[in-house]
Amino acid sequence: MNPNESNETNESNETSSPDFFTASFTQNPYPVYEKLRKDDPIFKVMFPSGEFGWIISRYEDAVQILKDSRFSKDIVKRYGADGQSIFSSNMLFSDPPDHRRLRGLVQKAFTPKLVADMRSHIQSIADVLLDELPSQETMNLIDDFAFPLPIIVISEILGVPAEDRDKFRMWSNTVIEASTGQNAELFQQHEREFTEYLTAWFAKVRQEPGQDLISQLVIAEESGEQLTEKELLGVVSLLIIAGHETTVNLIGNGILALLEHPEQRDLLIQKPELIHQAIEEMLRYNGPVEFSTSRWASEDIEFRGQQIAKGELVIVALDSANRDEEQFKDPDVFDITREKSAHLAFGKGIHLCLGAPLARLEGEIAVSTLINRFPNMKLQIDVDTLEWRPGMIVRGVKEIPVLLK
């Protein structure tokens, strides 16, 4: 695994690495990341999509890549406009000045003040979800709590019916799993369904605009803000997907860490004021976004002794950077008393997740409410049998069956 050698040697190493993108890797990628950080921190590999590119595994390198404007996020610049998905027409896959314009239209809905004002309402949602559990003895943490909480919240912000959350989840799963390079037909089908749904909803909003974010975006589009129909589709679909995916997996991974470390759970119950530090540690220890989204070198770049050619794909392994022993003391230890760390769970630079304050608040409320309601909660099955979601974007478990009492 030495990308310093010739291209021919690189290709042999890239395709022969048995631990990458396998089921065992998905189950526990951290030993592989530790080896990468030590031996090949700027590692060239073939991704599941069939494209060669680079994985950045060390914290310091990750920060530099995430902030370096020479690495473009604009997918159209790299591959052209033909055949691009609606999911790529948003601020996540754009460079300045388009990025600034698109983000500016959305970020006013996620200011710290507006998010803080939602606390009591989010708390009510969490309480109702737990009150209405089919059973007070067992539950599937993901389906019964971790998923519905954030999808209800983002649906209310956007103004779409929370009753359609199963559709949003299906479409979101397809987008997330598309990074494996499989199910192209299903992706196209669900993209079409999502587009038709949103187009019909935009038409309804144009007739009867409200105070929700979609109404604001539609009005902005019609007031000369140069938001095209494709951008409107791209921005709203991103908000629906990103607006719940990060929080679902923050809650799921975070509770899982507490269940695997019951002394930390007990400490949090005894000292509820630790919840802020606990959420930051959950984000660092087993973060909900495993890899950054794609970047492409806009020119030939020498980076840490490696030659990254113009147009080559570069991806940051965020969960690896967050376990970097050069940055974090005892990085493999889950410690909710750890001082607030500069983890990269929400990215860095101009593409820092604008929904981070909301995700943190939802995580705090969800974790606190759950462990205080069910302090003796434990896993119903062995942790090694949990099935982790496929794909190269989010890190999360499909189902977490728990005993509540």
Side-chain angles (χ1 to χ4, degrees), residues 4 18 33 47 66 91 128 146 148 150 161 213 250 292 354 374 379:
N4 290 305
Y33 289 147
F47 291 101
L66 293 172
M91 51 278 190
V128 169
L213 183 53
L250 165 57
S292 71
L354 62 83
F374 303 109
L379 277 173

Side-chain angles (χ1 to χ4, degrees), residues 122-363:
I122 296 174
Q123 182 66 63
S124 297
I125 295 171
D127 290 336
V128 169
L129 286 171
L130 294 183
D131 288 342
E132 296 180 348
L133 286 174
S135 166
Q136 293 293 311
E137 302 292 332
T138 64
M139 78 166 172
N140 179 341
L141 176 64
I142 302 299
D143 288 350
D144 294 335
F145 189 63
F147 167 71
L149 175 62
I151 199 67
I152 290 171
V153 173
I154 194 62
S155 295
E156 291 180 349
I157 291 172
L158 291 171
V160 292
E163 293 77 12
D164 291 333
R165 59 194 185 199
D166 288 339
K167 294 179 183 177
F168 300 148
R169 187 179 192 182
M170 174 181 66
W171 295 328
S172 175
N173 284 341
T174 300
V175 174
I176 296 300
E177 294 175 12
S179 60
T180 63
Q182 301 175 353
N183 295 327
E185 290 186 6
L186 184 63
F187 177 86
Q188 292 172 0
Q189 175 191 335
H190 286 178
E191 180 187 29
R192 183 171 61 253
E193 292 172 0
F194 206 171
T195 301
E196 291 171 352
Y197 177 95
L198 291 178
T199 301
W201 192 257
F202 297 158
K204 180 180 178 180
V205 168
R206 288 188 179 96
Q207 294 296 319
E208 300 178 22
Q211 300 302 311
D212 55 82
L213 183 53
I214 288 181
S215 294
Q216 294 175 29
L217 292 172
V218 168
I219 292 169
E221 176 202 7
E222 295 181 340
S223 301
E225 291 285 346
Q226 299 180 330
L227 193 65
T228 67
E229 180 76 8
K230 191 170 185 179
E231 288 173 338
L232 187 58
L233 288 166
V235 168
V236 173
S237 62
L238 172 66
L239 290 171
I240 291 175
I241 295 170
H244 78 274
E245 280 288 0
T246 299
T247 311
V248 170
N249 297 300
L250 165 57
I251 297 169
N253 295 358
I255 291 294
L256 183 60
L258 291 178
L259 295 177
E260 290 187 276
H261 302 84
E263 77 287 350
Q264 296 292 300
R265 178 196 60 194
D266 294 343
L267 178 60
L268 185 55
I269 292 173
Q270 294 163 11
K271 296 185 176 182
E273 66 273 13
L274 288 174
I275 185 60
H276 306 295
Q277 288 171 251
I279 292 299
E280 297 307 311
E281 179 67 347
M282 291 169 185
L283 287 164
R284 184 204 68 83
Y285 179 74
N286 199 10
V289 182
E290 186 164 2
F291 291 93
S292 71
T293 48
S294 302
R295 285 165 169 76
W296 296 272
S298 60
E299 58 187 73
D300 292 340
I301 299 171
E302 182 179 349
F303 186 82
R304 299 287 193 263
Q306 299 299 327
Q307 298 296 327
I308 301 178
K310 179 179 180 180
E312 285 192 325
L313 175 64
V314 179
I315 288 179
V316 172
L318 299 172
D319 280 351
S320 174
N322 288 336
R323 294 278 190 109
D324 190 336
E325 42 284 299
E326 295 296 320
Q327 179 69 22
F328 304 99
K329 182 181 179 181
D330 299 324
D332 294 328
V333 174
F334 179 66
D335 178 10
I336 66 169
T337 67
R338 189 186 296 270
E339 291 300 317
K340 185 176 181 180
S341 60
H343 62 72
L344 302 179
F346 292 118
K348 196 79 171 178
I350 65 171
H351 291 281
L352 179 74
C353 176
L354 62 83
L358 179 59
R360 283 186 165 102
L361 178 60
E362 290 175 320

Side-chain angles (χ1 to χ4, degrees), residues 23-34:
S24 61
F25 173 82
T26 302
Q27 185 81 11
N28 180 15
Y30 295 105
V32 175
Y33 289 147
E34 183 178 6

